[in-house]
């Protein structure tokens, strides 16, 4: 066909496949496929969102001043170093595009969030992945992957889909050893769930260095994934570059208002985090008992090894659950074809998930017994 040709790297860019939204057993579904928030958003955020209906004729405020003010106050940050965007994915993508292009390299870890690789390719840069150790980012491997062509290092901490995190001391070591010309983006989308003494979201590193940006989101613990609201904290000159390059109205006025209200509802956030901690461990214990061990996770999902690699077992389990309208995430695009990622849901959803997995294990066992039973009739 004759027509406009996109840049060649775009033609070969794999599509990002989001979590499934439909089961094969009719409605309703139990959606544990996108790391959304089990308890949903704060009622105050929903009210603030609704209250914006009569101002939709107006453009939103371009700088998200009230929201940046609320974020600065809530997290003890400087408002001038904050930017808000249409989800943190968008912010990470824009940052990558601003600092890396043709001939440059973007480094991330082996099982790092898939968007990193896709953003690197879309920007024309070469994606470089660094081996992990036991499904955890290795700072040594990241540093070894850095060359004079590296412009950006993208690190999700905690990481999706492995659920693991790099402790604060290791993060500091990475930051100290990186050349100052390399931008380190720390994507802390799951920070609220990572209640560990040795965890840091990276804000302290932003204060100490000139080449670190931290990104955060309202999509996970705040339950506002549908609003598309993310933010970043970085050096002022990076924020200034970002603001010059970004589109003028990245965040709707309703999203800005909902974000402010969500930040003020600290009780709701506490309820979300405490439900998650309890239910995350509950599901992991049950899947471990079923012989589907979960990787250690400090997020709102368990990544469980449900069969051997190369056997298609994870797909079989996923299809089995999908027929029961329980949606989980396959991890083949990460090369983790033996794992499924399972978001924490409400208690009754988690129970149904575990019942589904138990049913699968039972039917697989009776199938294999039947197969080895010489008296079994062939049918
Ligand atoms: C590590 C990580 N970063 C970013 C995002 C996306 O965040 P947002 O909804 O703010 O674009 C996700 C969502 O799954 C994620 O897992």
């Amino acid at each position: 066909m004759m027509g406009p040709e996109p840049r060649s790297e775009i033609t070969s860019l794999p599509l990002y496949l989001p979590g499934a939204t439909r089961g094969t057993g009719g409605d309703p579904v139990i959606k544990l496929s996108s790391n959304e928030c089990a308890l949903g958003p704060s009622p105050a955020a929903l009210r603030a969102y609704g209250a914006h209906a009569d101002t939709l004729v107006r453009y939103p405020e371009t700088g998200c001043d009230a929201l940046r003010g609320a974020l600065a106050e809530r997290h003890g940050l400087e408002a001038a170093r904050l930017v808000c965007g249409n989800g943190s994915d968008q912010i990470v993508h824009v940052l990558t595009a601003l600092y890396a292009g043709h001939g440059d390299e973007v480094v991330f870890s082996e099982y790092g969030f898939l968007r990193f690789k896709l953003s690197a390719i879309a920007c024309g840069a070469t994606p470089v992945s660094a081996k992990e150790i036991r499904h955890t980012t290795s700072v040594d491997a990241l540093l070894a992957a850095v060359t004079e062509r590296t412009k950006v290092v993208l690190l999700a901490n905690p990481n999706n889909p492995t659920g693991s995190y790099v402790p604060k001391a290791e993060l500091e070591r990475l930051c100290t050893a990186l050349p100052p010309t390399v931008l380190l983006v720390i994507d802390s989308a799951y920070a609220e769930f990572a209640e560990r003494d040795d965890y840091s979201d990276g804000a302290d590193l932003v204060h100490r260095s000139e080449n670190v940006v931290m990104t955060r989101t309202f999509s996970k613990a705040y339950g506002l994934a549908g609003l598309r609201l993310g933010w970043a904290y970085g050096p002022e000159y990076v924020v200034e570059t970002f603001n010059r390059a970004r589109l003028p109205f990245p965040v709707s006025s309703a999203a800005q208002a909902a974000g402010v209200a969500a930040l003020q509802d600290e009780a709701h956030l506490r309820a979300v985090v405490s439900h998650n901690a309890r239910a995350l461990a509950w599901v992991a214990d049950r899947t471990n008992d079923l012989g589907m061990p979960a990787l250690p996770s400090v997020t709102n999902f368990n990544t469980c090894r449900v069969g051997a690699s190369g056997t298609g077992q994870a797909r079989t389990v996923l299809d089995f659950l999908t027929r029961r309208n329980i949606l989980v995430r396959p991890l083949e695009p990460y090369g983790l074809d033996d794992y499924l990622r399972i978001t924490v849901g409400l208690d009754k959803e988690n129970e149904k998930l575990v019942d589904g997995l138990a049913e699968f294990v039972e039917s697989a066992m009776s199938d294999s017994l039947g197969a080895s039973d010489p008296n079994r009739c062939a049918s």
Side-chain angles (χ1 to χ4, degrees):
M1 189 187 78
M2 283 288 284
E5 288 266 347
R7 287 186 283 117
S8 58
E9 59 271 14
I10 303 297
T11 324
S12 56
L13 191 64
L15 273 182
Y16 180 77
L17 298 174
T21 53
R22 293 230 177 98
T24 45
D27 283 337
V29 293
I30 295 177
K31 186 169 184 289
L32 308 176
S33 54
S34 299
N35 299 342
E36 292 150 347
C37 180
L39 301 193
S42 146
L46 292 181
R47 280 194 298 276
Y49 177 78
H52 253 74
D54 55 0
T55 66
L56 294 184
V57 65
R58 303 283 171 228
Y59 278 102
E61 202 201 311
T62 176
C64 301
D65 290 352
L67 179 55
R68 286 189 305 116
L71 284 166
E73 196 181 316
R74 174 79 176 75
H75 294 283
L77 304 175
E78 293 169 45
R81 291 166 162 235
L82 286 163
V83 285
C84 299
N86 188 245
S88 61
D89 272 351
Q90 184 239 6
I91 298 178
V92 171
H93 185 80
V94 171
L95 283 169
T96 308
L98 288 177
Y99 290 91
H102 284 276
D104 299 328
E105 291 172 349
V106 174
V107 172
F108 45 82
S109 74
E110 187 179 6
Y111 303 120
F113 186 38
L114 198 61
R115 290 282 345 145
F116 298 165
K117 181 178 176 186
L118 301 184
S119 282
I121 297 173
C123 299
T126 305
V128 177
S129 103
K131 276 273 172 220
E132 298 199 358
I133 299 173
R134 286 187 294 280
H135 298 99
T136 305
T137 300
S138 156
V139 163
D140 287 322
L142 278 184
L143 288 171
V146 170
T147 69
E148 71 281 359
R149 297 211 308 219
T150 306
K151 289 289 163 56
V152 180
V153 173
L154 299 171
L155 170 66
N157 200 37
N159 183 49
N160 169 18
T162 53
S164 58
Y165 72 105
V166 176
K168 184 176 172 174
E170 279 293 277
L171 211 53
E172 283 170 2
R173 192 163 73 81
L174 171 64
C175 183
T176 308
L178 268 185
T181 49
V182 173
L183 185 75
L184 171 62
V185 179
I186 303 172
D187 172 348
S188 304
Y190 299 92
E192 290 83 0
F193 299 117
E195 294 184 298
R196 294 287 191 282
D197 289 344
D198 63 348
Y199 172 76
S200 158
D201 64 1
D204 46 339
L205 288 181
V206 175
H207 286 139
R208 284 189 9 205
S209 9
E210 285 298 308
N211 59 333
V212 179
V213 176
M214 167 189 76
T215 61
R216 301 281 294 265
T217 183
F218 282 85
S219 299
K220 306 299 174 186
Y222 288 97
L224 293 169
L227 267 192
R228 312 304 304 125
L229 184 54
W231 56 280
Y233 190 59
E236 261 180 77
Y237 77 98
V238 175
V239 165
E240 203 250 327
T241 304
F242 187 96
N243 280 333
R244 247 182 300 136
R246 71 167 166 85
L247 296 174
F249 305 109
V251 183
S252 71
S253 47
Q256 294 184 34
V260 171
L263 285 172
Q264 285 161 354
D265 192 349
E266 293 185 29
H268 185 74
L269 181 66
R270 275 198 301 277
V272 166
V273 171
S274 110
H275 166 80
N276 186 73
R278 182 177 53 73
L280 181 79
W282 186 86
V283 172
D285 286 347
R286 299 294 154 322
T287 63
N288 290 348
D289 290 347
L290 289 169
M292 298 174 168
L295 296 175
S297 170
V298 295
T299 61
N300 68 341
F301 57 85
N302 280 298
T303 296
C304 299
R305 186 158 192 267
V306 300
S309 181
T311 61
Q313 168 95 330
R315 266 287 151 185
T316 309
V317 177
L318 180 133
D319 292 343
F320 186 91
L321 294 174
T322 306
R323 284 196 295 277
R324 279 153 188 76
N325 272 351
I326 302 168
L327 310 180
V328 299
R329 189 68 157 257
L331 296 176
E332 288 122 354
Y334 287 90
L336 293 168
D337 73 328
D338 39 348
Y339 286 84
L340 291 176
R341 197 194 69 194
I342 305 169
T343 308
V344 168
L346 295 168
D347 288 342
K348 57 178 184 301
E349 296 176 322
N350 299 332
E351 282 159 20
K352 284 206 170 134
L353 165 85
V354 169
D355 289 349
L357 290 175
E359 218 184 299
F360 176 85
V361 170
E362 214 171 285
S363 71
M365 260 169 37
S366 61
D367 277 359
S368 69
L369 281 177
S372 60
D373 179 356
N375 299 320
R376 193 183 191 208
C377 301
S379 57

